[in-house]
Amino acid sequence: MIAGEAEVLLEVMDLSMHFAARDGASGRVRGLVRAVDGISFTVGRGEALGLVGESGCGKSTTARSLLRLLEPTGGRVVFDGVDVLSMDARALRAFRGRAQIVFQDPFGSLNPRLTAGGMLEEVLQVHHLAGEATGRRRRAVELLELVGLRAEHAGRYPHEFSGGQRQRLGIARALSVEPEFIVLDEPVSALDVSVQAQILNLLSDLKADLGLAYLFIAHDLAVVEHLCDRVAVMYLGKIVEIGPAERLYRAPRHPYTKALLSAVPSLDRKSEPGYERTMLTGDPPSPMSPPSGCVFHPRCSHPKKDEECRRDMPDLEECGEGCFVACIKERSRLGGGA
Amino acid sequence: MDIVTRTRADEALLEVSELRTYLHTRTGTARAVDGVSLRVERGESLGLVGESGCGKTMTALSVMALVPSPPGEILPGSSIRFEGEELVGAAEARLRRMRGNEVSMIFQEPMTSLNPVHRVGSQVVEALQLHRGLRGREAAAVAVELLAEVRLPDPEVRFGEYPHQLSGGMRQRVMIAMALSCEPRLLIADEPTTALDVTTQAQILGLLSDLRQRRGMAVLLISHDLGVVAEFCDRVAVMYAGQIVEEGSAQEVFHHPRHPYTQGLLASLPGRRSRGTRLAVIPGVAPSPNLWPHGCRFHPRCAFVMDRCAEQAPDLLPIAGSERTARCWLESPETAAAREDTRA
Ligand SMILES: Nc1ncnc2c1ncn2[C@@H]1O[C@H](COP(=O)(O)OP(=O)(O)OP(=O)(O)O)[C@@H](O)[C@H]1O
Ligand SMILES: Nc1ncnc2c1ncn2[C@@H]1O[C@H](COP(=O)(O)OP(=O)(O)OP(=O)(O)O)[C@@H](O)[C@H]1O
Ligand SMILES: [Mg+2]
Ligand SMILES: [Mg+2]
């Protein structure tokens, strides 16, 4: 369920990551932050699954816990038939050679004491790739050029790069181990659209030629629409809608997805007659005390919103064309023959 | 003399002219910013867009007098005037006052400017103490208000957390709160909303628009998101290889780009129509600031290159019949005339 057509490479089942929120002064636990709260999805071989949603809804936490950079508090993760959460240190190392991540914050994730070339060569060495020292050096330059940087950049330290150049170093590092699966957390947010296009073309090529699979986290919905086969929309630790990208963009069903799509800034919106942005009203939600029932109900503008939404937590249910939506009102619409 | 008495009505709030910021590195001198001139009026918003690595952040850091030195150097002949007062070469005490009270900056990567070992709240409080002289409970209360204003959920709880406990977009909003804490007259925002979803982004941009109207705050917005710039900015300047290559009203520049670089940029935008196809890219790679191409810096990648382009560097040329400029020989009177001839 909630899968695409490709052979499944990664399966995430009921994944949860709850953090203890401590009181500033006393250090006492005063609640739980339900950063990720029981989400399930799959990523097929050669497939790109987009993950979008409100800032703070748990996307990066999902990424980190499924790669076990954080130990999730619940659920299961299966990669190529093997249970990731019960891997021992050795199995985990092998897993890291097949599943990589590009971090959201490029500066924080690069070792300040290593040059760009030195960093890539080190990764190649750890994973026994590209032969001896000269081979590694050549491969490091190749990788830099692949992401639109130049050979001369090999000798530079992270602080000597611009924001977008640093972001591309993170991508080069992830590609260096020749993985089968990459989590890309906002990988192109610091790139101008032409360099961004170059990186997106590169990702498409690797996907088509080598069958690379991606979990692609981004706030730029046009980028997600361009690259991804399927898209999952998250809100407050839960997936509220998931389905084929084409369908989800054409006919969004969840009120949150609709609000999101209507807020995309564009070159022409200012001049579009009659264009109305559905602004989300109400306070941003708290993962420490999520609302009862449907987590979106306090900000929902669905015409049929009622008591039921405040009471019942909706599950993801099929709503046609391979799409799943967690909204009681949309589900009943399907039942009513819509 | 008081600055206010020197301020004249026709003076721009910020006027940068012929700014050259070079970086002297182990491998030579990088001419990162190489002759940038721009004006920001009171209450105006100017967008600054351009290729990754073309010098946008360095331009902003130069205005803030925060270019790391070494390796950085602002060359003689560069001028940065704020309300008519020259800031290049000004005393450090004056610059500190400027940064605290008149101009503030939202940095591109939040983690580089948030202190990882201090709680979020105490960092906002510190900014308030420094810039507005608030103390104790009052400072804490204003800090929580600011955090709520930038739409941070549970502001009282977040107040006591460390940066690593926040999501990327939450950190970005903390930075925005800190930058707004001094009620600046000019806000320099370097990619302020890259970690925000589009609905939160719309709210933050709404907040900034509101401050522009209420307080006359001007904004220099650096962004790769052309949609954001089109919606938020009055004017836009396009940068390439350390220089401004095109400038004009955001609507005109985005709907009728004149410089081939701007045209290439707009052609690369992804979206519905591009699904399943390859995106257009500007051919070639970005040139090195250690060795800018001779003549027009864009000519090795330009589809319209002429002999002259490789030899002679064009100035920012006015575009007939508009308030716009473009650094391209296609805009020279002779070329324009020749174009008319071939058409006739
Ligand atoms: N180490 C941590 N300790 C406590 N809380 C955390 C920690 N890491 C994340 N959180 C909380 O988990 C929630 C989800 O954060 P996450 O970084 O996954 O969001 P996100 O969807 O990636 O947001 P953004 O789009 O802003 O990057 C937030 O409320 C955040 O404060
Ligand atoms: N400390 C440094 N030493 C040497 N070169 C540097 C240093 N900092 C930046 N550079 C170089 O200066 C140039 C301009 O950098 P800047 O950060 O201004 O780019 P930018 O336009 O902000 O790019 P982006 O959109 O990627 O953030 C880049 O080519 C960069 O590699
Ligand atoms: Mg994140
Ligand atoms: Mg920058």
Side-chain angles (χ1 to χ4, degrees):
Chain A
M1 197 187 87
I2 316 180
E5 281 154 17
E7 181 203 342
V8 170
L9 177 64
L10 174 82
E11 184 163 15
V12 172
M13 283 162 278
D14 212 18
L15 185 73
S16 292
M17 182 72 222
H18 296 174
F19 296 103
R22 286 172 199 283
D23 190 79
S26 66
R28 265 195 325 244
V29 176
R30 67 168 180 190
L32 277 184
V33 175
R34 298 167 193 278
V36 177
D37 205 17
I39 67 174
S40 305
F41 60 83
T42 65
V43 181
R45 273 182 208 284
E47 186 183 53
L49 174 69
L51 186 58
V52 305
E54 189 161 50
S55 167
C57 71
K59 302 178 296 297
S60 299
T61 306
T62 300
R64 286 170 177 269
S65 31
L66 71 85
L67 292 175
R68 261 183 83 187
L69 299 168
L70 284 172
E71 292 297 333
T73 49
R76 259 161 68 78
V77 178
V78 177
F79 183 79
D80 199 13
V82 182
D83 184 348
V84 174
L85 302 186
S86 59
M87 282 178 180
D88 59 14
R90 233 181 96 207
L92 206 52
R93 247 196 320 278
F95 171 60
R96 298 261 153 82
R98 300 175 65 190
Q100 280 285 308
I101 180 166
V102 177
F103 290 101
Q104 181 173 15
D105 174 18
F107 202 71
S109 63
L110 296 169
N111 182 343
R113 280 178 291 276
L114 279 182
T115 60
M119 169 197 79
L120 292 173
E121 287 167 41
E122 189 185 84
V123 179
L124 291 170
Q125 189 173 16
V126 167
H127 291 273
H128 309 291
L129 292 162
E132 293 306 304
T134 46
R136 289 198 291 269
R137 203 160 306 139
R138 199 169 333 115
R139 179 70 185 143
V141 169
E142 248 172 53
L143 283 161
L144 290 175
E145 286 172 349
L146 206 57
V147 296
L149 297 172
R150 292 182 305 271
E152 70 181 67
H153 286 127
R156 284 218 212 149
Y157 291 92
H159 74 272
E160 297 176 310
F161 287 93
S162 78
Q165 291 167 338
R166 266 198 290 275
Q167 199 164 48
R168 284 176 277 166
L169 281 185
I171 297 174
R173 180 176 59 186
L175 294 178
S176 68
V177 306
E178 299 166 20
E180 291 155 63
F181 170 64
I182 312 183
V183 176
L184 299 139
D185 195 351
E186 292 288 356
V188 293
S189 62
L191 304 179
D192 65 87
V193 284
S194 174
V195 172
Q196 172 180 286
Q198 188 189 342
I199 297 291
L200 292 176
N201 286 344
L202 171 68
L203 294 177
S204 303
D205 291 349
L206 293 171
K207 181 171 173 284
D209 302 344
L210 304 176
L212 226 69
Y214 308 117
L215 178 64
F216 191 91
I217 302 174
H219 286 304
D220 187 327
L221 298 173
V223 167
V224 172
E225 183 173 19
H226 173 81
L227 185 77
C228 295
D229 304 296
R230 288 185 306 130
V231 178
V233 182
M234 248 179 115
Y235 186 83
L236 205 61
K238 296 190 185 320
I239 290 179
V240 296
E241 184 161 5
I242 181 169
E246 188 278 324
R247 151 71 204 262
L248 194 125
Y249 278 79
R250 173 169 46 80
R253 293 293 285 271
H254 197 280
Y256 176 66
T257 313
K258 288 181 186 165
L260 204 58
L261 289 173
S262 86
V264 175
S266 85
L267 294 181
D268 323 299
R269 282 270 160 89
K270 252 186 182 171
S271 44
E272 253 173 50
Y275 164 71
E276 281 265 1
R277 176 165 289 169
T278 332
M279 280 293 243
L280 270 187
T281 51
D283 285 331
S286 156
M288 276 183 68
S289 48
S292 65
C294 168
V295 286
F296 189 60
H297 88 257
R299 304 168 88 187
C300 180
S301 57
H302 198 288
K304 293 202 193 126
K305 179 171 90 170
D306 60 15
E307 215 28 64
E308 212 184 346
C309 303
R310 238 153 282 173
R311 196 183 57 222
D312 302 341
M313 175 115 66
D315 285 326
L316 272 177
E317 287 183 48
E318 177 137 32
C319 64
E321 296 182 74
C323 254
F324 293 78
V325 65
C327 174
I328 300 168
K329 299 305 163 188
E330 287 299 308
R331 180 189 59 197
S332 40
R333 229 177 77 184
L334 184 76
Chain B
M1 191 173 35
D2 192 334
I3 344 158
V4 181
T5 56
R6 268 193 276 145
T7 306
R8 291 201 321 269
D10 60 335
E11 261 165 11
L13 180 69
L14 175 74
E15 177 144 29
V16 174
S17 69
E18 290 299 307
L19 174 68
R20 290 192 162 72
T21 307
Y22 289 6
L23 300 157
H24 305 290
T25 67
R26 300 178 301 285
T27 49
T29 295
R31 288 147 63 193
V33 181
D34 206 12
V36 163
S37 301
L38 52 87
R39 260 173 92 95
V40 184
E41 310 290 342
R42 286 175 185 75
E44 187 189 40
S45 64
L46 173 68
L48 189 58
V49 306
E51 179 142 88
S52 170
C54 71
K56 301 178 298 294
T57 298
M58 278 298 159
T59 301
L61 292 178
S62 305
V63 173
M64 294 297 289
L66 288 176
V67 173
S69 166
E73 182 198 1
I74 293 186
L75 264 64
S78 306
S79 160
I80 299 170
R81 285 170 171 271
F82 186 76
E83 300 197 312
E85 186 192 359
E86 182 59 59
L87 296 180
V88 175
E92 185 50 37
R94 169 67 192 111
L95 294 172
R96 219 173 304 128
R97 200 150 37 83
M98 180 271 298
R99 284 197 289 266
N101 305 321
E102 292 149 9
V103 186
S104 62
M105 177 160 171
I106 301 167
F107 295 91
Q108 188 170 7
E109 284 156 291
M111 273 319 252
T112 57
S113 48
L114 286 177
N115 189 329
V117 301
H118 288 153
R119 294 176 203 281
V120 165
S122 61
Q123 300 192 46
V124 182
V125 164
E126 193 187 307
L128 285 166
Q129 286 172 343
L130 212 64
H131 304 321
R132 276 168 57 189
L134 300 180
R135 292 280 171 273
R137 281 187 174 211
E138 193 193 358
V142 174
V144 170
E145 249 170 60
L146 270 170
L147 293 177
E149 207 171 6
V150 295
R151 314 285 305 164
L152 202 69
D154 301 326
E156 293 91 357
V157 179
R158 300 300 178 184
F159 188 92
E161 292 192 330
Y162 293 96
H164 79 269
Q165 295 175 298
L166 304 190
S167 80
M170 292 174 181
R171 286 176 206 151
Q172 211 162 33
R173 282 172 278 171
V174 170
M175 292 251 313
I176 296 172
M178 284 168 65
L180 295 177
S181 68
C182 73
E183 310 193 337
R185 268 175 287 164
L186 172 65
L187 175 70
I188 302 179
D190 194 355
E191 300 283 1
T193 58
T194 48
L196 301 182
D197 60 280
V198 288
T199 53
T200 309
Q201 170 173 275
Q203 286 161 341
I204 295 288
L205 294 176
L207 170 69
L208 297 184
S209 297
D210 197 42
L211 292 175
R212 279 178 57 200
Q213 264 152 32
R214 265 192 319 179
R215 293 200 210 133
M217 177 180 82
V219 181
L220 176 61
L221 177 75
I222 302 176
S223 178
H224 288 305
D225 191 323
L226 304 181
V228 164
V229 174
E231 292 196 3
F232 186 76
C233 297
D234 309 314
R235 282 186 308 125
V236 60
V238 184
M239 243 180 118
Y240 183 82
Q243 297 178 324
I244 286 173
V245 295
E246 174 156 15
E247 213 237 89
S249 88
Q251 290 301 312
E252 282 181 318
V253 170
F254 289 141
H255 287 107
H256 308 283
R258 295 298 282 258
H259 196 285
Y261 173 68
T262 319
Q263 292 169 358
L265 207 55
L266 287 159
S268 305
L269 279 173
R272 183 143 313 160
R273 279 178 302 253
S274 71
R275 257 184 82 81
T277 67
R278 286 182 76 76
L279 290 164
V281 297
I282 299 169
V285 289
S288 161
N290 292 33
L291 194 70
W292 294 129
H294 196 63
C296 169
R297 292 179 185 183
F298 188 62
H299 90 262
R301 305 173 73 186
C302 183
F304 307 99
V305 63
M306 306 174 285
D307 291 343
R308 183 180 197 179
C309 305
E311 290 149 19
Q312 236 182 322
D315 285 330
L316 262 181
L317 301 167
I319 295 170
S322 73
E323 304 261 291
R324 302 170 56 185
T325 51
R327 191 182 291 279
C328 178
W329 285 125
L330 289 173
E331 303 302 336
S332 77
E334 312 93 87
T335 325
R339 216 172 24 214
E340 285 310 309
D341 283 351
T342 49
R343 248 188 236 150

